């Protein structure tokens, strides 16, 4: 059975919904509106029709594109307060998904019904502004990704990825880093061993420790 969503939590994360009449908010907060998914679940799959516009309350979704070889490239992540431009583009264009969404952590989300998504775009300007601002942000991120894939060396991209994850110690496998870069584990492992030989990182089992952040930043900026 579903559970009722806390209105303050929803409006805190998605203030674009503030100002809606109570009856319309009631359709968003019905007991079956909240979905809980375990880590590793497929949130949406390629060639699947879009069933609604996701509003993420807790957790993280990674959106990936898979090549025929099975290799994946991370396109972007969806965090609480954000949403998925692939979902909105599918809804606007009445097309199927062309990428895959995977729960990186346990998720709580609200699936905004297709019909309600369309109505909000038409008659609730704050929501419309939210959706198109999201488009602008994500397109900028995807253009940066295209530029990196096309022009940056893989060692630069790996250094940037390690820095972007933040923190001193990263609990991550070589395969996970390869997936995010759209590469293969063997190449990433070879690069990481080179980083370790230069004193930039130290490597452990499913763990990476940054030992020279300034050196990584220099490499990332080359």
């Amino acid at each position: 059975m579903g559970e009722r969503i806390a209105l303050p939590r929803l409006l805190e994360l998605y203030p674009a919904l503030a100002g809606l009449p109570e009856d319309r908010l009631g359709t968003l907060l019905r007991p079956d509106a909240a979905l809980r998914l375990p880590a590793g679940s497929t949130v949406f799959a390629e060639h699947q029709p879009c069933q609604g516009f996701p509003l993420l309350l807790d957790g993280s979704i990674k959106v990936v594109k898979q090549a025929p070889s099975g290799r994946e490239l991370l396109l972007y992540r969806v965090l609480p307060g954000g949403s998925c431009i692939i979902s909105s583009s599918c809804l606007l264009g009445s097309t199927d998904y062309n990428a895959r969404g995977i729960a990186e952590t346990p998720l709580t989300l609200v699936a905004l019904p297709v019909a309600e998504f369309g109505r909000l775009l038409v008659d609730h300007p704050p929501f419309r502004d939210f959706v198109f601002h999201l488009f602008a942000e994500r397109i900028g991120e995807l253009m940066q990704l295209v530029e990196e894939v096309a022009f940056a060396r893989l060692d630069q991209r790996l250094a940037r990825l390690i820095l972007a994850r933040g923190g001193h110690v990263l609990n991550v496998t070589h395969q996970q880093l390869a997936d995010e870069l759209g590469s293969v584990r063997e190449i990433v492992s070879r690069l990481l061993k080179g980083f370790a030989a230069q004193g930039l990182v130290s490597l452990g089992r499913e763990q990476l420790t940054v030992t020279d952040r300034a050196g990584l930043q220099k490499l990332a900026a080359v």
Side-chain angles (χ1 to χ4, degrees):
M1 293 183 61
E3 61 185 67
R4 185 163 291 276
I5 306 153
L7 178 58
R9 172 69 172 166
L10 182 69
L11 295 184
E12 176 188 1
L13 289 171
Y14 296 95
L17 298 175
L20 285 174
E22 288 189 13
D23 59 334
R24 294 187 71 179
L25 281 173
T27 66
L28 302 180
L29 302 177
R30 65 190 189 280
D32 63 343
L35 302 176
R36 292 189 180 274
L37 299 174
S41 299
T42 296
V43 183
F44 55 83
E46 287 197 65
H47 313 303
Q48 176 188 70
C50 184
Q51 301 296 322
F53 185 71
L55 303 174
L56 187 61
L57 302 179
D58 292 292
S60 171
I61 302 170
K62 67 176 182 179
V63 180
V64 300
K65 182 69 176 177
Q66 188 172 48
S69 64
R71 286 169 54 188
E72 291 183 343
L73 177 65
L74 176 71
L75 299 179
Y76 56 86
R77 284 185 169 86
V78 181
L79 299 175
S83 198
C84 176
I85 62 164
I86 287 180
S87 296
S88 51
S89 66
C90 291
L91 290 171
L92 290 169
S94 300
T95 58
D96 293 344
Y97 285 110
N98 56 8
R100 187 157 64 106
I102 303 165
E104 287 193 297
T105 65
L107 303 179
T108 303
L109 60 86
V110 176
L112 189 64
V114 174
E116 185 62 25
F117 172 81
R119 284 194 293 269
L120 286 170
L121 282 181
V122 171
D123 62 20
H124 193 58
F127 182 78
R128 182 168 62 245
D129 291 346
F130 165 71
V131 170
F132 285 104
H133 180 70
L134 187 69
F135 262 108
E137 282 189 343
R138 291 297 190 207
I139 287 172
E141 292 172 7
L142 292 174
M143 288 302 295
Q144 182 179 355
L145 176 61
V146 169
E147 182 178 335
E148 288 189 357
V149 171
F151 303 119
R153 300 194 317 260
L154 190 60
D155 59 344
Q156 283 180 277
R157 294 177 57 216
L158 179 57
R160 291 171 186 167
L161 176 59
I162 292 170
L163 291 168
R165 279 180 165 256
H168 179 63
V169 178
L170 308 183
N171 295 309
V172 64
T173 67
H174 295 190
Q175 184 63 59
Q176 289 170 330
L177 293 172
D179 289 343
E180 293 205 26
L181 293 170
S183 184
V184 294
R185 181 183 56 78
E186 291 78 9
I187 294 176
V188 169
S189 293
R190 187 161 63 245
L191 288 173
L192 287 172
K193 288 177 182 176
F195 286 8
Q198 296 173 63
L200 302 175
V201 302
S202 63
L203 305 176
R205 182 174 177 81
E206 297 188 2
Q207 191 176 84
L208 181 154
T209 303
V210 176
T211 53
D212 184 358
R213 183 170 296 275
L216 279 177
Q217 291 169 337
K218 184 177 180 181
L219 176 60
V222 170

PDB file of all heavy atoms in Angstrom, residues 162-177:
ATOM      1  N   ILE A 162      37.091  12.177 -10.401  1.00  0.00           N
ATOM      2  CA  ILE A 162      37.514  11.939  -9.021  1.00  0.00           C
ATOM      3  C   ILE A 162      37.329  13.210  -8.191  1.00  0.00           C
ATOM      4  O   ILE A 162      36.810  13.173  -7.068  1.00  0.00           O
ATOM      5  CB  ILE A 162      38.984  11.464  -8.989  1.00  0.00           C
ATOM      6  CG1 ILE A 162      39.097  10.068  -9.614  1.00  0.00           C
ATOM      7  CG2 ILE A 162      39.515  11.447  -7.548  1.00  0.00           C
ATOM      8  CD1 ILE A 162      40.535   9.621  -9.845  1.00  0.00           C
ATOM      9  N   LEU A 163      37.715  14.344  -8.749  1.00  0.00           N
ATOM     10  CA  LEU A 163      37.571  15.610  -8.032  1.00  0.00           C
ATOM     11  C   LEU A 163      36.104  15.960  -7.820  1.00  0.00           C
ATOM     12  O   LEU A 163      35.721  16.464  -6.764  1.00  0.00           O
ATOM     13  CB  LEU A 163      38.275  16.726  -8.810  1.00  0.00           C
ATOM     14  CG  LEU A 163      39.801  16.651  -8.863  1.00  0.00           C
ATOM     15  CD1 LEU A 163      40.345  17.633  -9.886  1.00  0.00           C
ATOM     16  CD2 LEU A 163      40.407  16.921  -7.493  1.00  0.00           C
ATOM     17  N   ALA A 164      35.274  15.703  -8.835  1.00  0.00           N
ATOM     18  CA  ALA A 164      33.856  16.053  -8.748  1.00  0.00           C
ATOM     19  C   ALA A 164      33.134  15.242  -7.690  1.00  0.00           C
ATOM     20  O   ALA A 164      32.137  15.704  -7.114  1.00  0.00           O
ATOM     21  CB  ALA A 164      33.180  15.862 -10.105  1.00  0.00           C
ATOM     22  N   ARG A 165      33.616  14.035  -7.421  1.00  0.00           N
ATOM     23  CA  ARG A 165      32.966  13.209  -6.399  1.00  0.00           C
ATOM     24  C   ARG A 165      33.211  13.760  -4.998  1.00  0.00           C
ATOM     25  O   ARG A 165      32.474  13.436  -4.072  1.00  0.00           O
ATOM     26  CB  ARG A 165      33.451  11.759  -6.498  1.00  0.00           C
ATOM     27  CG  ARG A 165      32.736  10.971  -7.589  1.00  0.00           C
ATOM     28  CD  ARG A 165      33.243   9.551  -7.661  1.00  0.00           C
ATOM     29  NE  ARG A 165      32.333   8.714  -8.446  1.00  0.00           N
ATOM     30  CZ  ARG A 165      31.493   7.842  -7.927  1.00  0.00           C
ATOM     31  NH1 ARG A 165      31.419   7.703  -6.619  1.00  0.00           N
ATOM     32  NH2 ARG A 165      30.709   7.112  -8.697  1.00  0.00           N
ATOM     33  N   GLY A 166      34.248  14.585  -4.865  1.00  0.00           N
ATOM     34  CA  GLY A 166      34.500  15.223  -3.572  1.00  0.00           C
ATOM     35  C   GLY A 166      35.006  14.228  -2.543  1.00  0.00           C
ATOM     36  O   GLY A 166      35.024  13.013  -2.763  1.00  0.00           O
ATOM     37  N   GLY A 167      35.430  14.758  -1.425  1.00  0.00           N
ATOM     38  CA  GLY A 167      35.880  13.881  -0.351  1.00  0.00           C
ATOM     39  C   GLY A 167      37.316  13.427  -0.540  1.00  0.00           C
ATOM     40  O   GLY A 167      37.905  13.530  -1.622  1.00  0.00           O
ATOM     41  N   HIS A 168      37.870  12.888   0.520  1.00  0.00           N
ATOM     42  CA  HIS A 168      39.256  12.410   0.522  1.00  0.00           C
ATOM     43  C   HIS A 168      39.331  10.930   0.140  1.00  0.00           C
ATOM     44  O   HIS A 168      40.214  10.511  -0.597  1.00  0.00           O
ATOM     45  CB  HIS A 168      39.861  12.646   1.909  1.00  0.00           C
ATOM     46  CG  HIS A 168      41.268  12.179   2.054  1.00  0.00           C
ATOM     47  ND1 HIS A 168      42.314  12.701   1.316  1.00  0.00           N
ATOM     48  CD2 HIS A 168      41.814  11.217   2.858  1.00  0.00           C
ATOM     49  CE1 HIS A 168      43.440  12.085   1.656  1.00  0.00           C
ATOM     50  NE2 HIS A 168      43.157  11.185   2.589  1.00  0.00           N
ATOM     51  N   VAL A 169      38.386  10.157   0.649  1.00  0.00           N
ATOM     52  CA  VAL A 169      38.342   8.718   0.378  1.00  0.00           C
ATOM     53  C   VAL A 169      37.060   8.406  -0.382  1.00  0.00           C
ATOM     54  O   VAL A 169      35.962   8.757   0.060  1.00  0.00           O
ATOM     55  CB  VAL A 169      38.386   7.901   1.685  1.00  0.00           C
ATOM     56  CG1 VAL A 169      38.298   6.412   1.377  1.00  0.00           C
ATOM     57  CG2 VAL A 169      39.657   8.216   2.467  1.00  0.00           C
ATOM     58  N   LEU A 170      37.183   7.758  -1.543  1.00  0.00           N
ATOM     59  CA  LEU A 170      36.033   7.406  -2.366  1.00  0.00           C
ATOM     60  C   LEU A 170      35.837   5.897  -2.322  1.00  0.00           C
ATOM     61  O   LEU A 170      36.766   5.132  -2.614  1.00  0.00           O
ATOM     62  CB  LEU A 170      36.246   7.839  -3.823  1.00  0.00           C
ATOM     63  CG  LEU A 170      36.644   9.302  -4.086  1.00  0.00           C
ATOM     64  CD1 LEU A 170      36.734   9.547  -5.587  1.00  0.00           C
ATOM     65  CD2 LEU A 170      35.651  10.246  -3.444  1.00  0.00           C
ATOM     66  N   ASN A 171      34.656   5.469  -1.930  1.00  0.00           N
ATOM     67  CA  ASN A 171      34.322   4.047  -1.968  1.00  0.00           C
ATOM     68  C   ASN A 171      33.711   3.752  -3.324  1.00  0.00           C
ATOM     69  O   ASN A 171      32.505   3.877  -3.529  1.00  0.00           O
ATOM     70  CB  ASN A 171      33.356   3.701  -0.833  1.00  0.00           C
ATOM     71  CG  ASN A 171      34.006   3.880   0.530  1.00  0.00           C
ATOM     72  OD1 ASN A 171      35.096   3.367   0.778  1.00  0.00           O
ATOM     73  ND2 ASN A 171      33.359   4.628   1.411  1.00  0.00           N
ATOM     74  N   VAL A 172      34.550   3.378  -4.258  1.00  0.00           N
ATOM     75  CA  VAL A 172      34.126   3.211  -5.645  1.00  0.00           C
ATOM     76  C   VAL A 172      34.999   2.164  -6.305  1.00  0.00           C
ATOM     77  O   VAL A 172      36.180   2.012  -5.980  1.00  0.00           O
ATOM     78  CB  VAL A 172      34.228   4.567  -6.393  1.00  0.00           C
ATOM     79  CG1 VAL A 172      35.664   5.051  -6.473  1.00  0.00           C
ATOM     80  CG2 VAL A 172      33.606   4.500  -7.773  1.00  0.00           C
ATOM     81  N   THR A 173      34.409   1.409  -7.230  1.00  0.00           N
ATOM     82  CA  THR A 173      35.173   0.403  -7.969  1.00  0.00           C
ATOM     83  C   THR A 173      35.675   0.987  -9.287  1.00  0.00           C
ATOM     84  O   THR A 173      35.157   1.990  -9.784  1.00  0.00           O
ATOM     85  CB  THR A 173      34.321  -0.832  -8.269  1.00  0.00           C
ATOM     86  OG1 THR A 173      33.283  -0.475  -9.195  1.00  0.00           O
ATOM     87  CG2 THR A 173      33.685  -1.396  -7.005  1.00  0.00           C
ATOM     88  N   HIS A 174      36.684   0.333  -9.855  1.00  0.00           N
ATOM     89  CA  HIS A 174      37.187   0.749 -11.159  1.00  0.00           C
ATOM     90  C   HIS A 174      36.086   0.625 -12.218  1.00  0.00           C
ATOM     91  O   HIS A 174      36.007   1.453 -13.136  1.00  0.00           O
ATOM     92  CB  HIS A 174      38.398  -0.097 -11.555  1.00  0.00           C
ATOM     93  CG  HIS A 174      39.580   0.093 -10.651  1.00  0.00           C
ATOM     94  ND1 HIS A 174      40.835  -0.411 -10.928  1.00  0.00           N
ATOM     95  CD2 HIS A 174      39.696   0.743  -9.456  1.00  0.00           C
ATOM     96  CE1 HIS A 174      41.666  -0.082  -9.950  1.00  0.00           C
ATOM     97  NE2 HIS A 174      40.991   0.595  -9.043  1.00  0.00           N
ATOM     98  N   GLN A 175      35.226  -0.381 -12.067  1.00  0.00           N
ATOM     99  CA  GLN A 175      34.138  -0.570 -13.026  1.00  0.00           C
ATOM    100  C   GLN A 175      33.140   0.580 -12.948  1.00  0.00           C
ATOM    101  O   GLN A 175      32.649   1.057 -13.982  1.00  0.00           O
ATOM    102  CB  GLN A 175      33.428  -1.896 -12.768  1.00  0.00           C
ATOM    103  CG  GLN A 175      32.338  -2.233 -13.788  1.00  0.00           C
ATOM    104  CD  GLN A 175      32.904  -2.414 -15.184  1.00  0.00           C
ATOM    105  OE1 GLN A 175      33.754  -3.275 -15.407  1.00  0.00           O
ATOM    106  NE2 GLN A 175      32.458  -1.599 -16.134  1.00  0.00           N
ATOM    107  N   GLN A 176      32.842   1.041 -11.745  1.00  0.00           N
ATOM    108  CA  GLN A 176      31.907   2.156 -11.602  1.00  0.00           C
ATOM    109  C   GLN A 176      32.459   3.422 -12.248  1.00  0.00           C
ATOM    110  O   GLN A 176      31.730   4.161 -12.922  1.00  0.00           O
ATOM    111  CB  GLN A 176      31.601   2.394 -10.116  1.00  0.00           C
ATOM    112  CG  GLN A 176      30.737   1.312  -9.500  1.00  0.00           C
ATOM    113  CD  GLN A 176      30.651   1.431  -7.982  1.00  0.00           C
ATOM    114  OE1 GLN A 176      31.585   1.904  -7.328  1.00  0.00           O
ATOM    115  NE2 GLN A 176      29.536   1.000  -7.413  1.00  0.00           N
ATOM    116  N   LEU A 177      33.745   3.682 -12.062  1.00  0.00           N
ATOM    117  CA  LEU A 177      34.362   4.844 -12.702  1.00  0.00           C
ATOM    118  C   LEU A 177      34.349   4.694 -14.218  1.00  0.00           C
ATOM    119  O   LEU A 177      34.073   5.656 -14.946  1.00  0.00           O
ATOM    120  CB  LEU A 177      35.797   5.021 -12.195  1.00  0.00           C
ATOM    121  CG  LEU A 177      35.952   5.413 -10.723  1.00  0.00           C
ATOM    122  CD1 LEU A 177      37.420   5.366 -10.306  1.00  0.00           C
ATOM    123  CD2 LEU A 177      35.380   6.792 -10.469  1.00  0.00           C
TER     124      LEU A 177
END
